[in-house]
Amino acid sequence: MTDVLRIENLGHSYGKFKVIEDISLSISKGEMSALIGPNGAGKTTFYNAISGHFPPTRGKVFLNGENITGFAAHRVVDKGMCRSFQITNIFAALTVLENVISPLIIQQRKHFKIYGNVFKDKQIIERAMLVLEQIGIADRADQVVANLAYGDKRLVEMAIVLARDPSVVLLDEPTAGMNPEETENMIKLIKKLANNSGTTFFITEHDMKVVFSLAEKIYVLHQGHLLAQGSPGEIRSNEHVKEAYLGRKVHA
Amino acid sequence: MMKLLRHKLFGPTVLAVLLFFAPLIISTYSVMILSEILIMGLMAISFNLLLGYTGLLSFGQGAFFGLGAYCAALMLQAGYQNLFLILLVGMLASLLASLVVGFFSVRLDEIFFAMITLGFGMLFFSIAHNWLDVTGGSDGLPVFVLPSLSLLGNEITFYEPTRMYYLVFGIVLLGLVLLWLIVHSPFGLILKAMRENKQRVSFVGGNVRLLRIVAFAISGAFTGLAGVLFCLFNSMATPEFMHWSFSAKPVIMSIIGGTGVFLGPLFGAGIFFVLEQIIIQYTENWMLFLGIVLVPIVLFFPQGVFGTLRNKIFKQGVK
Ligand SMILES: Nc1ncnc2c1ncn2[C@@H]1O[C@H](COP(=O)(O)OP(=O)(O)O)[C@@H](O)[C@H]1O
Ligand SMILES: [Mg+2]
C-alpha cells in the first residue's frame, strides 16, 4: 500500500447545505495531483475537511495508512500533512526568516522552551535558510513580510508549508491573484520542488492552464461530486467533463 | 559609538544604572513613588506578555496580583519570615490560579477573552471581599512584621523606604530579566506568531490552546510576584487589588507606554504615576484628567509614547 493520502466517501455540509458528497480518491507517493473545479465547487471545503480546519461531516481520511479523520489541524501537521490557503496565510509582522523558523521550532518540539536564542540554533537556522533558498527568497530573509510584494508573500507561505518537510502538501490555488509572470514562476517552482523532495503535492486550481501544465493526475469536482479522474489526456477527452465544465473553456 | 547606542541592551542597562543610583538624588517620597512604579511596571510587563506578545487582552490580572499579595500577607501573619519562600509561594499560587483561569479562557478571543477574564477577576474580588475570616473583608490584611534578609551575617530589614526600594528594585530586575529571556526564547517567537496569526500556528503544528495557557500562566505568575512585592511595600493586602479597576491599570500603562516594546509598559507605569502626582496637586478628579490624557496618546502615539518615540529615533519598523 503506497498511498500517501486516501479519502473514503468524504462529505461535508454547512448546516443543511451539502457542499461536497461522496468523494473518494487515493494519491500515491510522488504523484502530482490536482483537484479542479469552478469557483464554489467545494475545493476549499474539501481541503478544510481533510486538513483539520473542521471535521468532515461524513467519510474518512487516511494519511500514510493512518486514520486521521477529524484530527485537529496541529495533529494533522504532526502526522505529515501541511497546507497553504487560498488567501495568503502568514505571520505579517514577522520577518521572512521568523516565518520559516516558527514551524521548525514546533517540529523540533522547542515551542515550549522558554530560554535560549533561536537565532543561534544552528540546526534550525540552517534548515530555514535551505528552505528559503529552495523557494528563492533567501535574499529577503531579514525583511518584514508585510512589506513584501504579493507574489513574495505567497512564496513565504510556500516556505512555511515546506519547512517541516511534510509527506503531503496541499496547496489551495497557489497561483490565485498572481500575474502571468508570477504564475509561471510558481508553476516552475512547484515542479522543481516536487522533483527534488519526497513530498507529494496535491493542489487545487480553477486555472486550467496551470493544471494541465503541472498535474499527473486530475480530479474534477463538479457541484460537490467527483465527476472524473485521470491523466490530463484522459480528462481532456472525457465527455462528461467537456460537457459540464471544460467544453466552453477549451474551445474558447 | 552608534553601534553601542543601537545595541538592544544599551538602553535597559543605562536605565538600570539610573534606577540604582536614583535614591541618592531624589527625595524619600519620590523613592516610594519609584518603588510603586517598578512594581506596577513588573505587573504591566507581565500583562503585556499577553497583550503585546500573544495578542490577548486580559482584564483580570488584578486577581493574580491580589492573590500574590494575600499569600504574602497570610504567610507573614502566620509567622513565616523567609522572604524567598514568600515570593515563591505567592508566585506559585498565582501560577496555579492562572492555569485554571487560562484553561477556561484561552479558547476565546478578543472581546470575549477580555470579558471572561474580567468575570474571573470579579469572582476573585468577591471572594476576597466577602470571605471575612481569611481575607479580612474590605479592610484587607495588614502586615506588621516584614521579612528580613540575612546577608553576610547581617540582618537586613526593609522598614526604611530606601531599603524597601532596593528590595523592589532587585526583585523587579530579576523578574524583568526572566521575562526578557522568555520573550526572546523559541516560545517567545511562537507567542508573536500566535499574535500575528493563530490559525497559521495551528496549521504548522502548534497547539494554540496549550501555548496560550502556558503564556497566561507565566504572565499570572509574574503578576503574582508583583503582588507579593506590593504587599510588602504597602504592608497590606486589600481586595481593591482584585477589583476590575485595578486590572485596568496594566492595560492603561501598556497602552500609554507601548505594547510593541519590551520596556514600554514600564514607561507607561512611570508616566501614569508621574501624571497622577502632578494632577492631584490641582484636582481630586485625577481619573478625569487621566482620561483626557489617554485620548491623545491613543490617537497620536499608535505604538505608545515610548514605542512611537523609539521608532522615530531609531527608525525601526514593526517588530
Ligand atoms: N463556512 C461556510 N459556511 C457556509 N457555506 C460555505 C462556507 N464556506 C463555503 N461555503 C459554500 O460552499 C460552497 C463551496 O465553497 P468552496 O469550498 O469555497 O468552493 P471553492 O473553493 O471550490 O471555490 C460555496 O457555495 C460556498 O458559498
Ligand atoms: Mg476555494
Side-chain angles (χ1 to χ4, degrees):
Chain A
M1 200 188 62
T2 53
D3 293 340
V4 283
L5 183 64
R6 194 170 84 248
I7 314 289
E8 288 178 3
N9 308 105
L10 196 97
H12 193 79
S13 311
Y14 294 113
K16 281 192 177 144
F17 177 41
K18 271 190 190 175
V19 178
I20 48 175
E21 190 57 28
D22 208 22
I23 298 181
S24 298
L25 54 85
S26 39
I27 294 175
S28 36
K29 188 166 162 39
E31 183 184 46
M32 169 72 79
S33 313
L35 180 67
I36 64 169
N39 278 328
K43 304 180 296 292
T44 299
T45 301
F46 174 73
Y47 267 17
N48 287 347
I50 67 173
S51 66
H53 195 60
F54 43 63
T57 319
R58 300 165 290 278
K60 293 201 175 92
V61 183
F62 295 88
L63 182 65
N64 296 309
E66 186 178 352
N67 187 344
I68 60 158
T69 315
F71 276 27
H74 68 272
R75 293 185 62 209
V76 173
V77 175
D78 278 345
K79 293 294 176 192
M81 182 156 74
C82 206
R83 68 173 285 191
S84 74
F85 290 78
Q86 193 170 343
I87 297 165
T88 316
N89 204 336
I90 50 181
F91 306 117
L94 305 187
T95 66
V96 172
L97 185 62
E98 287 169 334
N99 266 265
V100 192
I101 283 176
S102 300
L104 293 170
I105 290 174
I106 295 170
Q107 182 186 31
Q108 300 205 2
R109 296 276 163 259
K110 287 176 180 161
H111 51 314
F112 288 107
K113 191 173 164 228
I114 56 171
Y115 60 92
N117 184 344
V118 64
F119 297 98
K120 293 194 176 133
D121 189 325
K122 235 177 121 193
Q123 218 183 348
I124 285 184
I125 296 299
E126 274 173 13
R127 168 73 193 155
M129 289 311 294
L130 186 74
V131 174
L132 291 179
E133 270 155 30
Q134 280 179 338
I135 306 286
I137 43 172
D139 56 329
R140 272 145 285 178
D142 291 326
Q143 288 193 27
V144 172
V145 166
N147 302 333
L148 295 180
Y150 175 76
D152 287 346
K153 288 182 186 163
R154 301 282 302 181
L155 291 178
V156 170
E157 183 162 12
M158 285 287 280
I160 291 176
V161 169
L162 288 166
R164 294 190 55 165
D165 200 16
S167 59
V168 176
V169 159
L170 307 174
L171 301 177
D172 195 355
E173 307 214 13
T175 66
M178 287 187 161
N179 64 37
E181 195 193 331
E182 288 170 333
T183 301
E184 198 172 310
N185 288 339
M186 183 56 98
I187 295 172
K188 274 191 204 145
L189 177 67
I190 296 173
K191 274 185 182 160
K192 187 185 90 178
L193 293 167
N195 289 332
N196 296 347
S197 65
T199 301
T200 305
F201 285 81
F202 185 18
I203 70 170
T204 72
E205 263 299 342
H206 68 267
D207 185 337
M208 290 305 117
K209 278 213 297 288
V210 173
V211 173
F212 284 111
S213 67
L214 257 181
E216 295 161 357
K217 178 100 182 250
I218 297 175
Y219 300 90
V220 183
L221 192 63
H222 182 63
Q223 295 175 351
H225 290 265
L226 268 193
L227 185 68
Q229 51 180 291
S231 66
E234 285 164 354
I235 295 300
R236 266 206 193 90
S237 56
N238 183 301
E239 289 303 321
H240 297 292
V241 178
K242 274 189 190 167
E243 197 179 314
Y245 175 43
L246 281 177
R248 277 161 296 150
K249 289 199 174 169
V250 166
H251 299 293
Chain B
M1 186 61 194
M2 206 49 205
K3 214 176 154 199
L4 181 69
L5 282 174
R6 274 174 171 276
H7 193 281
K8 60 183 170 184
L9 286 180
F10 179 75
T13 309
V14 170
L15 181 68
V17 170
L18 285 177
L19 286 170
F20 185 82
F21 290 109
L24 300 179
I25 312 159
I26 61 180
S27 69
T28 306
Y29 180 69
S30 302
V31 165
M32 291 171 75
I33 299 287
L34 204 51
S35 305
E36 210 172 337
I37 290 174
L38 287 179
I39 296 171
M40 292 309 291
L42 175 61
M43 183 194 195
I45 288 180
S46 310
F47 158 84
N48 196 45
L49 185 73
L50 297 176
L51 181 63
Y53 288 91
T54 317
L56 289 170
L57 171 55
S58 169
F59 233 101
Q61 293 306 96
F64 313 121
F65 187 88
L67 198 62
Y70 275 107
C71 276
L74 286 169
M75 285 178 79
L76 287 166
Q77 286 200 345
Y80 290 95
Q81 284 297 308
N82 186 321
L83 177 66
F84 292 105
L85 188 70
I86 292 169
L87 291 168
L88 203 68
V89 171
M91 259 184 112
L92 271 180
S94 302
L95 180 83
L96 290 177
S98 49
L99 272 177
V100 174
V101 174
F103 178 84
F104 290 105
S105 307
V106 300
R107 65 178 87 205
L108 300 174
D109 277 301
E110 291 164 12
I111 191 72
F112 304 102
F113 178 81
M115 286 301 114
I116 193 171
T117 48
L118 175 69
F120 273 110
M122 290 164 102
L123 188 81
F124 275 77
F125 171 78
S126 303
I127 295 172
H129 191 266
N130 298 333
W131 197 9
L132 284 175
D133 300 340
V134 176
T135 63
S138 56
D139 294 341
L141 285 180
V143 169
F144 302 107
V145 184
L146 288 178
S148 52
L149 200 63
S150 44
L151 208 71
L152 308 169
N154 295 322
E155 198 70 2
I156 304 174
T157 58
F158 297 104
Y159 295 99
E160 200 266 314
T162 305
R163 290 203 183 164
M164 177 54 82
Y165 173 81
Y166 280 111
L167 174 67
V168 167
F169 174 76
I171 304 293
V172 168
L173 186 66
L174 184 70
L176 294 189
V177 167
L178 291 176
L179 280 165
W180 194 89
L181 289 173
I182 291 171
V183 158
H184 291 87
S185 70
F187 174 71
L189 180 57
I190 300 298
L191 293 188
K192 289 193 222 168
M194 283 198 293
R195 173 196 70 201
E196 287 307 305
N197 188 341
K198 76 183 168 92
Q199 185 190 49
R200 207 357 128 195
V201 171
S202 40
F203 277 93
V204 293
N207 184 340
V208 168
R209 185 150 179 238
L210 195 58
L211 284 158
R212 280 178 164 187
I213 290 176
V214 172
F216 196 78
I218 292 174
S219 169
F222 282 98
T223 303
L225 179 64
V228 174
L229 283 178
F230 201 67
C231 174
L232 301 180
F233 168 76
N234 197 34
S235 295
M236 187 95 185
T238 72
E240 181 208 328
F241 299 163
M242 293 181 163
H243 195 254
W244 64 266
S245 58
F246 199 92
S247 293
K249 284 188 181 181
V251 184
I252 296 171
M253 290 166 181
S254 296
I255 289 172
I256 293 179
T259 58
V261 197
F262 181 75
L263 286 178
L266 176 65
F267 280 83
I271 294 172
F272 185 94
F273 280 103
V274 170
L275 274 180
E276 184 179 24
Q277 290 306 311
I278 295 171
I279 295 170
I280 54 175
Q281 289 177 5
Y282 303 103
T283 166
E284 296 210 326
N285 245 333
W286 118 259
M287 275 294 166
L288 172 73
F289 285 87
L290 176 67
I292 293 173
V293 170
L294 204 54
V295 171
I297 285 180
V298 172
L299 286 178
F300 301 119
F301 295 88
Q303 288 140 9
V305 174
F306 184 59
T308 305
L309 289 181
R310 199 194 69 155
N311 287 350
K312 282 245 158 66
I313 293 165
F314 289 109
K315 294 226 163 46
Q316 284 170 340
V318 272
K319 254 200 136 169

